[in-house]
Amino acid sequence: MKETAPVTIPRGILTFTVDSFANGIAFGRHRSEYQGDPRNYFSLRLRDESELVPLRSRYMLHRDNPLHELERHLMRLSSQGVLRSSHIYLGVTTDPFFPFEHKFDTSMKFLELFLRYTPGMLTVQTRSPLIVIAMPVFNRLGKHCSVTIGIETFREDMVRHYTPGLPSVRERLKTAAALRRFGIETTLQAAPVLPYGDWRADAARFAEVLTEHADYIFLRPLSNGKKECERRLRNTTLAKKLAMDRKFHYLRPNSGEPLRSAIEAIAPEKLKVPDR
């Protein structure tokens, strides 16, 4: 497996993770102890994945001023100069724009706070085409904003089989194209990589789809090979389904290598960590 140079989050940068719920926002603060690609820690999880980034503070919605406590917190961070050197990930353990869990309004109220308080970088992660409704906020933030859209396979039948209820690949790709058309940096996240046909022969086609619609691409296998991860996976519906279908390639730590090699042959620069 190809070795990549380690990337360290600079010590001067704080990372915050934010997840929206029907009745509030969970806000976590993380130090710069992470080694390697930060997207390994802060990528948007599938609902079936149990390894979650710890959440620390919960801000509840109120009728008159929905997120006034969180706004006061952001105001303090802004006045201290901390916010301008921070990276905020919205959507780590839950999809902030998933339409059937009553989180959309909460996510929009949170994003609108950034019309007053500008972070160093805001990364919004979703699989929902509804994210385009937030375009005015993204345009206002300009280079301080990026969007990540999860696309684990380019096969519609595989989406329906392994991740039922998620938007179609076609809708997600159209969303990525719209964001890029308006100059918004867009990453496509194949994490975890799910079946897309023949593991080797169809990797080139998936690579073409990803490179055509993304500024950057992030790949991560379902398993990292560690015993703790393997133990958690055994109890997930997704892993059981893959094993039942005899898709054992996708349960291995090297499940993304044919796809990675195919992308490197077309556009290796898109696999790099975005330079902030």
Side-chain angles (χ1 to χ4, degrees):
M1 203 154 78
K2 186 173 288 188
E3 295 289 331
T4 56
V7 178
T8 305
I9 301 173
R11 290 190 175 275
I13 294 179
L14 276 174
T15 303
F16 296 93
T17 53
V18 181
D19 284 287
S20 58
F21 300 88
N23 60 348
I25 288 281
F27 199 83
R29 175 169 172 160
H30 308 270
R31 295 293 178 184
S32 303
E33 67 267 23
Y34 302 103
Q35 297 288 323
D37 188 338
R39 297 172 299 183
N40 280 317
Y41 303 96
F42 304 123
S43 59
L44 175 61
R45 274 40 172 194
L46 283 171
R47 191 181 307 179
D48 202 30
E49 292 181 276
S50 58
E51 183 184 0
L52 305 178
V53 172
L55 301 170
R56 295 178 181 153
S57 301
R58 190 76 174 257
Y59 296 90
M60 306 305 291
L61 287 177
H62 299 281
R63 183 179 300 174
D64 298 325
N65 193 351
L67 289 173
H68 72 280
E69 292 178 13
L70 178 56
E71 182 168 7
R72 285 169 55 193
H73 184 52
L74 289 175
M75 191 185 300
R76 282 195 301 272
L77 293 175
S78 182
S79 64
Q80 294 166 0
V82 173
L83 194 60
R84 294 288 290 189
S85 60
S86 299
H87 194 152
I88 298 175
Y89 288 85
L90 171 60
V92 178
T93 65
T94 65
D95 190 325
F97 288 94
F98 197 66
F100 305 116
E101 296 179 354
H102 308 290
K103 296 181 297 187
F104 178 82
D105 289 342
T106 308
S107 299
M108 285 303 301
K109 287 180 174 69
F110 174 74
L111 284 175
E112 286 163 3
L113 291 175
F114 293 111
L115 296 176
R116 297 186 289 279
Y117 312 102
T118 304
M121 195 69 194
L122 171 68
T123 296
V124 183
Q125 306 187 130
T126 185
R127 296 179 178 90
S128 172
L130 290 176
I131 194 173
V132 297
I133 297 175
M135 198 85 77
V137 178
F138 302 151
N139 286 334
R140 173 77 174 269
L141 289 172
K143 65 180 181 179
H144 296 281
C145 176
S146 69
V147 172
T148 294
I149 298 176
I151 297 185
E152 296 75 30
T153 173
F154 73 101
R155 292 264 304 268
E156 299 286 9
D157 56 335
M158 296 294 102
V159 171
R160 291 190 295 271
H161 183 59
Y162 291 106
T163 55
L166 291 186
S168 69
V169 177
R170 181 174 174 272
E171 290 174 327
R172 290 186 248 178
L173 292 176
K174 282 176 63 178
T175 302
L179 291 167
R180 295 182 75 203
R181 194 158 54 243
F182 282 90
I184 297 165
E185 180 190 293
T186 303
T187 294
L188 292 185
Q189 171 190 301
V193 176
L194 293 181
Y196 49 81
D198 185 279
W199 190 50
R200 295 193 183 279
D202 292 323
R205 176 65 186 129
F206 193 9
E208 288 172 5
V209 170
L210 292 173
T211 55
E212 180 183 345
H213 292 87
D215 296 305
Y216 294 98
I217 300 167
F218 171 61
L219 306 181
R220 181 170 58 84
L222 185 62
S223 171
N224 59 18
K226 295 180 180 178
K227 288 183 179 179
E228 184 181 351
C229 179
E230 296 283 349
R231 189 166 56 249
R232 279 195 303 269
L233 275 177
R234 289 193 198 105
N235 298 318
T236 66
T237 303
L238 179 58
K240 290 175 182 176
K241 207 176 262 191
L242 287 166
M244 189 179 300
D245 295 341
R246 305 188 66 79
K247 301 290 186 181
F248 299 115
H249 292 310
Y250 298 94
L251 292 167
R252 297 170 183 165
N254 67 341
S255 64
E257 286 313 295
L259 180 57
R260 182 179 299 278
S261 297
I263 294 170
E264 286 175 341
I266 303 171
E269 70 282 357
K270 298 198 175 190
L271 287 168
K272 295 178 179 177
V273 181
D275 184 8
R276 306 301 179 195

